[in-house]
Amino acid sequence: MRYRIVLSLLALVPLVACARAAPAPTPTPFADPADEIRAVVMRYLDAVYHGRAGEAWLMHSRATNEGESFDEFAAVVRVAAEVGSRIEILEIDPPEIRGDEASVIVVQRLGPRVSTYMFHLVLEDGVWKIHNPRDLVPQP
């Protein structure tokens, strides 16, 4: 009898191990792509302003990271994180969506200074990514 109980318990071990190894469920997609784009931009800004360069880097499109240096990006994020707690996001406008591309304007304040930024995004592998490749960045 004891032998059967041990065998029964051993049979459950793979089931428990598989249950623990199962990937976390993916979040429910937003019903409205505009809401999803706004959420991506907010997560990105939160990562940048709180010094999480690795998280922000992974939110970039492949073209954005191509030929760029993560170390240089991380240095910029460190500087942004120094003032991040004082930055207030005033508004994220409704995004303009054009198929697999989108742009959205973000208005933020640091002290008395109000700034407006345009974020470009692309849909890659079913996920909206921040898209800022070198050819979009104005050169000095």
CSV table of all heavy atoms in Angstrom, one decimal, residues 30-73:
chain,number,residue,atom,x,y,z
A,30,PHE,N,-5.0,45.0,-25.7
A,30,PHE,CA,-6.0,46.2,-25.6
A,30,PHE,C,-7.0,46.0,-26.7
A,30,PHE,O,-6.6,45.6,-27.8
A,30,PHE,CB,-5.2,47.5,-25.7
A,30,PHE,CG,-4.4,47.8,-24.5
A,30,PHE,CD1,-3.1,47.4,-24.4
A,30,PHE,CD2,-4.9,48.6,-23.5
A,30,PHE,CE1,-2.3,47.7,-23.3
A,30,PHE,CE2,-4.2,48.9,-22.4
A,30,PHE,CZ,-2.9,48.5,-22.3
A,31,ALA,N,-8.2,46.4,-26.5
A,31,ALA,CA,-9.2,46.4,-27.5
A,31,ALA,C,-8.9,47.4,-28.5
A,31,ALA,O,-9.2,47.3,-29.7
A,31,ALA,CB,-10.6,46.5,-26.9
A,32,ASP,N,-8.4,48.5,-28.1
A,32,ASP,CA,-8.1,49.7,-29.0
A,32,ASP,C,-6.6,49.9,-29.1
A,32,ASP,O,-5.9,50.0,-28.1
A,32,ASP,CB,-8.7,50.9,-28.4
A,32,ASP,CG,-8.6,52.2,-29.2
A,32,ASP,OD1,-7.9,52.1,-30.3
A,32,ASP,OD2,-9.1,53.2,-28.8
A,33,PRO,N,-6.1,49.8,-30.4
A,33,PRO,CA,-4.6,50.0,-30.6
A,33,PRO,C,-4.1,51.3,-30.0
A,33,PRO,O,-3.0,51.4,-29.6
A,33,PRO,CB,-4.4,49.9,-32.1
A,33,PRO,CG,-5.7,49.3,-32.6
A,33,PRO,CD,-6.8,49.5,-31.6
A,34,ALA,N,-4.9,52.3,-30.0
A,34,ALA,CA,-4.5,53.6,-29.5
A,34,ALA,C,-4.2,53.5,-28.0
A,34,ALA,O,-3.2,54.1,-27.5
A,34,ALA,CB,-5.6,54.7,-29.7
A,35,ASP,N,-5.0,52.8,-27.3
A,35,ASP,CA,-4.7,52.6,-25.8
A,35,ASP,C,-3.4,51.8,-25.6
A,35,ASP,O,-2.6,52.1,-24.7
A,35,ASP,CB,-5.9,51.8,-25.2
A,35,ASP,CG,-7.1,52.7,-25.1
A,35,ASP,OD1,-7.1,53.9,-25.2
A,35,ASP,OD2,-8.2,52.0,-25.0
A,36,GLU,N,-3.2,50.8,-26.5
A,36,GLU,CA,-2.0,50.0,-26.4
A,36,GLU,C,-0.7,50.9,-26.7
A,36,GLU,O,0.3,50.8,-26.0
A,36,GLU,CB,-2.0,48.8,-27.4
A,36,GLU,CG,-0.9,47.9,-27.3
A,36,GLU,CD,-1.0,46.7,-28.1
A,36,GLU,OE1,-2.0,46.5,-28.9
A,36,GLU,OE2,-0.1,45.8,-28.1
A,37,ILE,N,-0.8,51.7,-27.7
A,37,ILE,CA,0.3,52.6,-28.0
A,37,ILE,C,0.6,53.5,-26.9
A,37,ILE,O,1.8,53.7,-26.5
A,37,ILE,CB,0.0,53.3,-29.3
A,37,ILE,CG1,0.0,52.3,-30.5
A,37,ILE,CG2,1.0,54.5,-29.5
A,37,ILE,CD1,-0.6,52.9,-31.8
A,38,ARG,N,-0.4,54.1,-26.3
A,38,ARG,CA,-0.2,55.0,-25.2
A,38,ARG,C,0.4,54.3,-24.0
A,38,ARG,O,1.3,54.8,-23.3
A,38,ARG,CB,-1.6,55.6,-24.7
A,38,ARG,CG,-2.1,56.7,-25.5
A,38,ARG,CD,-3.3,57.3,-24.8
A,38,ARG,NE,-3.8,58.4,-25.5
A,38,ARG,CZ,-5.1,58.5,-26.0
A,38,ARG,NH1,-5.9,57.5,-25.8
A,38,ARG,NH2,-5.5,59.5,-26.6
A,39,ALA,N,0.0,53.0,-23.7
A,39,ALA,CA,0.6,52.2,-22.7
A,39,ALA,C,2.0,51.9,-22.9
A,39,ALA,O,2.9,52.0,-22.0
A,39,ALA,CB,-0.2,51.0,-22.5
A,40,VAL,N,2.4,51.6,-24.2
A,40,VAL,CA,3.8,51.4,-24.5
A,40,VAL,C,4.6,52.6,-24.3
A,40,VAL,O,5.7,52.5,-23.7
A,40,VAL,CB,3.9,50.9,-26.0
A,40,VAL,CG1,5.4,50.9,-26.5
A,40,VAL,CG2,3.3,49.5,-26.1
A,41,VAL,N,4.2,53.7,-24.7
A,41,VAL,CA,4.9,55.0,-24.5
A,41,VAL,C,5.1,55.3,-23.0
A,41,VAL,O,6.2,55.6,-22.5
A,41,VAL,CB,4.3,56.2,-25.2
A,41,VAL,CG1,4.9,57.5,-24.9
A,41,VAL,CG2,4.4,56.0,-26.7
A,42,MET,N,4.0,55.1,-22.2
A,42,MET,CA,4.1,55.3,-20.8
A,42,MET,C,5.1,54.3,-20.1
A,42,MET,O,5.9,54.8,-19.3
A,42,MET,CB,2.7,55.2,-20.1
A,42,MET,CG,1.9,56.4,-20.2
A,42,MET,SD,2.6,57.9,-19.5
A,42,MET,CE,2.8,57.4,-17.8
A,43,ARG,N,5.1,53.1,-20.5
A,43,ARG,CA,6.0,52.1,-19.9
A,43,ARG,C,7.4,52.5,-20.3
A,43,ARG,O,8.4,52.3,-19.5
A,43,ARG,CB,5.7,50.7,-20.4
A,43,ARG,CG,4.5,50.0,-19.7
A,43,ARG,CD,4.5,48.5,-19.9
A,43,ARG,NE,4.7,48.1,-21.3
A,43,ARG,CZ,3.7,47.9,-22.2
A,43,ARG,NH1,2.4,48.2,-21.8
A,43,ARG,NH2,3.9,47.5,-23.4
A,44,TYR,N,7.6,52.9,-21.6
A,44,TYR,CA,8.9,53.3,-22.0
A,44,TYR,C,9.5,54.5,-21.2
A,44,TYR,O,10.6,54.5,-20.7
A,44,TYR,CB,8.9,53.7,-23.5
A,44,TYR,CG,10.2,54.1,-24.1
A,44,TYR,CD1,11.2,53.1,-24.4
A,44,TYR,CD2,10.5,55.4,-24.4
A,44,TYR,CE1,12.4,53.5,-24.9
A,44,TYR,CE2,11.7,55.8,-24.9
A,44,TYR,CZ,12.7,54.8,-25.2
A,44,TYR,OH,13.9,55.1,-25.7
A,45,LEU,N,8.6,55.5,-21.1
A,45,LEU,CA,9.1,56.7,-20.3
A,45,LEU,C,9.3,56.3,-18.9
A,45,LEU,O,10.3,56.8,-18.3
A,45,LEU,CB,8.0,57.8,-20.4
A,45,LEU,CG,7.9,58.5,-21.8
A,45,LEU,CD1,6.7,59.4,-21.8
A,45,LEU,CD2,9.1,59.2,-22.1
A,46,ASP,N,8.5,55.5,-18.3
A,46,ASP,CA,8.7,55.0,-16.9
A,46,ASP,C,10.1,54.3,-16.8
A,46,ASP,O,10.8,54.6,-15.8
A,46,ASP,CB,7.6,54.1,-16.5
A,46,ASP,CG,7.7,53.8,-15.0
A,46,ASP,OD1,7.5,54.7,-14.2
A,46,ASP,OD2,7.9,52.6,-14.7
A,47,ALA,N,10.4,53.5,-17.7
A,47,ALA,CA,11.7,52.8,-17.7
A,47,ALA,C,12.8,53.7,-17.8
A,47,ALA,O,13.8,53.7,-17.1
A,47,ALA,CB,11.7,51.7,-18.8
A,48,VAL,N,12.7,54.7,-18.8
A,48,VAL,CA,13.8,55.7,-19.0
A,48,VAL,C,14.0,56.5,-17.7
A,48,VAL,O,15.1,56.7,-17.2
A,48,VAL,CB,13.6,56.5,-20.2
A,48,VAL,CG1,14.5,57.7,-20.3
A,48,VAL,CG2,13.7,55.7,-21.5
A,49,TYR,N,12.9,57.1,-17.2
A,49,TYR,CA,13.0,58.0,-16.1
A,49,TYR,C,13.3,57.3,-14.7
A,49,TYR,O,13.5,58.0,-13.8
A,49,TYR,CB,11.7,58.9,-16.0
A,49,TYR,CG,11.5,59.8,-17.2
A,49,TYR,CD1,10.3,60.2,-17.6
A,49,TYR,CD2,12.6,60.3,-17.8
A,49,TYR,CE1,10.1,61.0,-18.7
A,49,TYR,CE2,12.5,61.2,-18.9
A,49,TYR,CZ,11.3,61.5,-19.3
A,49,TYR,OH,11.1,62.4,-20.4
A,50,HIS,N,13.2,56.0,-14.7
A,50,HIS,CA,13.6,55.3,-13.5
A,50,HIS,C,14.9,54.5,-13.7
A,50,HIS,O,15.2,53.6,-12.9
A,50,HIS,CB,12.4,54.4,-13.0
A,50,HIS,CG,11.3,55.2,-12.5
A,50,HIS,ND1,10.3,55.6,-13.2
A,50,HIS,CD2,11.1,55.7,-11.2
A,50,HIS,CE1,9.4,56.4,-12.5
A,50,HIS,NE2,9.9,56.4,-11.3
A,51,GLY,N,15.6,54.8,-14.7
A,51,GLY,CA,17.0,54.2,-14.9
A,51,GLY,C,17.0,52.7,-15.4
A,51,GLY,O,18.0,52.1,-15.2
A,52,ARG,N,15.9,52.2,-15.9
A,52,ARG,CA,15.8,50.8,-16.4
A,52,ARG,C,16.2,50.7,-17.9
A,52,ARG,O,15.3,50.5,-18.7
A,52,ARG,CB,14.5,50.2,-16.0
A,52,ARG,CG,14.2,50.2,-14.5
A,52,ARG,CD,12.9,49.5,-14.2
A,52,ARG,NE,11.8,49.8,-15.0
A,52,ARG,CZ,10.8,50.7,-14.7
A,52,ARG,NH1,10.9,51.4,-13.6
A,52,ARG,NH2,9.8,50.8,-15.5
A,53,ALA,N,17.4,51.0,-18.2
A,53,ALA,CA,17.9,51.0,-19.6
A,53,ALA,C,17.6,49.7,-20.3
A,53,ALA,O,17.2,49.7,-21.5
A,53,ALA,CB,19.4,51.4,-19.6
A,54,GLY,N,17.9,48.6,-19.7
A,54,GLY,CA,17.7,47.3,-20.3
A,54,GLY,C,16.2,47.1,-20.8
A,54,GLY,O,15.9,46.7,-21.9
A,55,GLU,N,15.3,47.5,-19.9
A,55,GLU,CA,13.9,47.4,-20.2
A,55,GLU,C,13.5,48.3,-21.4
A,55,GLU,O,12.8,47.9,-22.3
A,55,GLU,CB,13.0,47.7,-19.0
A,55,GLU,CG,11.6,47.6,-19.2
A,55,GLU,CD,10.8,48.0,-17.9
A,55,GLU,OE1,11.3,47.9,-16.8
A,55,GLU,OE2,9.6,48.4,-18.1
A,56,ALA,N,14.0,49.5,-21.3
A,56,ALA,CA,13.7,50.5,-22.4
A,56,ALA,C,14.3,50.0,-23.7
A,56,ALA,O,13.7,50.1,-24.8
A,56,ALA,CB,14.2,51.9,-22.0
A,57,TRP,N,15.5,49.5,-23.7
A,57,TRP,CA,16.2,49.0,-24.9
A,57,TRP,C,15.4,48.0,-25.6
A,57,TRP,O,15.3,47.9,-26.8
A,57,TRP,CB,17.6,48.5,-24.5
A,57,TRP,CG,18.4,48.0,-25.6
A,57,TRP,CD1,18.6,46.7,-26.0
A,57,TRP,CD2,19.3,48.8,-26.4
A,57,TRP,NE1,19.5,46.6,-27.1
A,57,TRP,CE2,19.9,47.9,-27.3
A,57,TRP,CE3,19.6,50.1,-26.5
A,57,TRP,CZ2,20.8,48.3,-28.3
A,57,TRP,CZ3,20.5,50.5,-27.5
A,57,TRP,CH2,21.1,49.6,-28.4
A,58,LEU,N,14.8,47.1,-24.8
A,58,LEU,CA,14.0,46.0,-25.4
A,58,LEU,C,12.7,46.5,-26.0
A,58,LEU,O,12.1,45.8,-26.7
A,58,LEU,CB,13.7,44.9,-24.3
A,58,LEU,CG,14.9,44.1,-23.8
A,58,LEU,CD1,14.5,43.2,-22.7
A,58,LEU,CD2,15.6,43.4,-24.9
A,59,MET,N,12.3,47.7,-25.7
A,59,MET,CA,11.1,48.3,-26.2
A,59,MET,C,11.4,49.0,-27.5
A,59,MET,O,10.4,49.5,-28.2
A,59,MET,CB,10.5,49.2,-25.2
A,59,MET,CG,10.0,48.5,-23.9
A,59,MET,SD,9.3,49.7,-22.7
A,59,MET,CE,7.7,49.9,-23.5
A,60,HIS,N,12.6,49.0,-28.0
A,60,HIS,CA,13.0,49.7,-29.2
A,60,HIS,C,12.8,48.7,-30.4
A,60,HIS,O,12.9,47.5,-30.2
A,60,HIS,CB,14.5,50.0,-29.3
A,60,HIS,CG,14.8,51.2,-28.4
A,60,HIS,ND1,16.1,51.4,-28.1
A,60,HIS,CD2,14.1,52.1,-27.8
A,60,HIS,CE1,16.2,52.5,-27.3
A,60,HIS,NE2,15.0,52.9,-27.1
A,61,SER,N,12.5,49.2,-31.6
A,61,SER,CA,12.4,48.4,-32.8
A,61,SER,C,13.8,47.9,-33.1
A,61,SER,O,14.8,48.5,-32.6
A,61,SER,CB,11.9,49.3,-33.9
A,61,SER,OG,12.8,50.3,-34.3
A,62,ARG,N,13.9,46.9,-33.9
A,62,ARG,CA,15.2,46.4,-34.3
A,62,ARG,C,16.0,47.5,-35.0
A,62,ARG,O,17.2,47.6,-34.8
A,62,ARG,CB,15.0,45.2,-35.2
A,62,ARG,CG,14.6,43.9,-34.5
A,62,ARG,CD,14.5,42.7,-35.4
A,62,ARG,NE,13.4,42.7,-36.3
A,62,ARG,CZ,12.2,42.3,-36.0
A,62,ARG,NH1,11.9,41.8,-34.8
A,62,ARG,NH2,11.2,42.4,-36.9
A,63,ALA,N,15.4,48.2,-35.9
A,63,ALA,CA,16.1,49.3,-36.6
A,63,ALA,C,16.6,50.4,-35.7
A,63,ALA,O,17.7,51.0,-36.0
A,63,ALA,CB,15.1,49.9,-37.7
A,64,THR,N,15.9,50.6,-34.6
A,64,THR,CA,16.4,51.6,-33.6
A,64,THR,C,17.7,51.2,-33.0
A,64,THR,O,18.6,52.0,-32.8
A,64,THR,CB,15.3,51.9,-32.6
A,64,THR,OG1,14.2,52.4,-33.2
A,64,THR,CG2,15.8,52.9,-31.5
A,65,ASN,N,17.8,49.9,-32.6
A,65,ASN,CA,19.0,49.4,-31.9
A,65,ASN,C,20.1,49.0,-32.8
A,65,ASN,O,21.2,48.9,-32.4
A,65,ASN,CB,18.6,48.2,-31.0
A,65,ASN,CG,17.8,48.6,-29.8
A,65,ASN,OD1,17.7,49.8,-29.4
A,65,ASN,ND2,17.2,47.6,-29.2
A,66,GLU,N,19.8,48.9,-34.1
A,66,GLU,CA,20.8,48.5,-35.1
A,66,GLU,C,21.9,49.5,-35.2
A,66,GLU,O,21.7,50.7,-35.4
A,66,GLU,CB,20.1,48.3,-36.4
A,66,GLU,CG,21.0,47.6,-37.5
A,66,GLU,CD,20.2,47.4,-38.7
A,66,GLU,OE1,19.4,46.5,-38.7
A,66,GLU,OE2,20.4,48.1,-39.7
A,67,GLY,N,23.1,49.1,-34.9
A,67,GLY,CA,24.3,50.0,-35.0
A,67,GLY,C,24.4,50.9,-33.9
A,67,GLY,O,25.3,51.8,-33.9
A,68,GLU,N,23.6,50.8,-32.9
A,68,GLU,CA,23.7,51.7,-31.7
A,68,GLU,C,24.4,50.9,-30.6
A,68,GLU,O,24.5,49.7,-30.6
A,68,GLU,CB,22.3,52.0,-31.2
A,68,GLU,CG,21.5,52.9,-32.2
A,68,GLU,CD,22.1,54.3,-32.4
A,68,GLU,OE1,22.7,54.8,-31.5
A,68,GLU,OE2,22.0,54.8,-33.5
A,69,SER,N,24.9,51.7,-29.6
A,69,SER,CA,25.6,51.1,-28.5
A,69,SER,C,24.7,51.1,-27.3
A,69,SER,O,24.2,52.2,-26.9
A,69,SER,CB,26.8,51.9,-28.2
A,69,SER,OG,27.3,51.7,-26.9
A,70,PHE,N,24.5,49.9,-26.7
A,70,PHE,CA,23.7,49.9,-25.5
A,70,PHE,C,24.3,50.7,-24.4
A,70,PHE,O,23.6,51.4,-23.6
A,70,PHE,CB,23.4,48.4,-25.0
A,70,PHE,CG,22.7,48.4,-23.7
A,70,PHE,CD1,21.4,48.6,-23.6
A,70,PHE,CD2,23.4,48.2,-22.5
A,70,PHE,CE1,20.7,48.7,-22.3
A,70,PHE,CE2,22.8,48.2,-21.3
A,70,PHE,CZ,21.4,48.4,-21.2
A,71,ASP,N,25.6,50.6,-24.3
A,71,ASP,CA,26.3,51.4,-23.2
A,71,ASP,C,26.1,52.9,-23.3
A,71,ASP,O,25.8,53.6,-22.3
A,71,ASP,CB,27.8,51.1,-23.2
A,71,ASP,CG,28.1,49.7,-22.8
A,71,ASP,OD1,27.3,49.1,-22.1
A,71,ASP,OD2,29.2,49.1,-23.2
A,72,GLU,N,26.1,53.4,-24.5
A,72,GLU,CA,25.8,54.8,-24.7
A,72,GLU,C,24.3,55.2,-24.4
A,72,GLU,O,24.0,56.2,-23.7
A,72,GLU,CB,26.1,55.3,-26.2
A,72,GLU,CG,27.6,55.3,-26.5
A,72,GLU,CD,27.8,55.6,-28.0
A,72,GLU,OE1,26.9,56.0,-28.7
A,72,GLU,OE2,29.0,55.5,-28.4
A,73,PHE,N,23.4,54.3,-24.8
A,73,PHE,CA,22.0,54.4,-24.4
A,73,PHE,C,21.8,54.4,-22.9
A,73,PHE,O,21.1,55.2,-22.3
A,73,PHE,CB,21.2,53.4,-25.1
A,73,PHE,CG,19.7,53.4,-24.7
A,73,PHE,CD1,18.9,54.4,-25.2
A,73,PHE,CD2,19.2,52.5,-23.8
A,73,PHE,CE1,17.5,54.5,-24.8
A,73,PHE,CE2,17.8,52.5,-23.5
A,73,PHE,CZ,17.0,53.5,-24.0
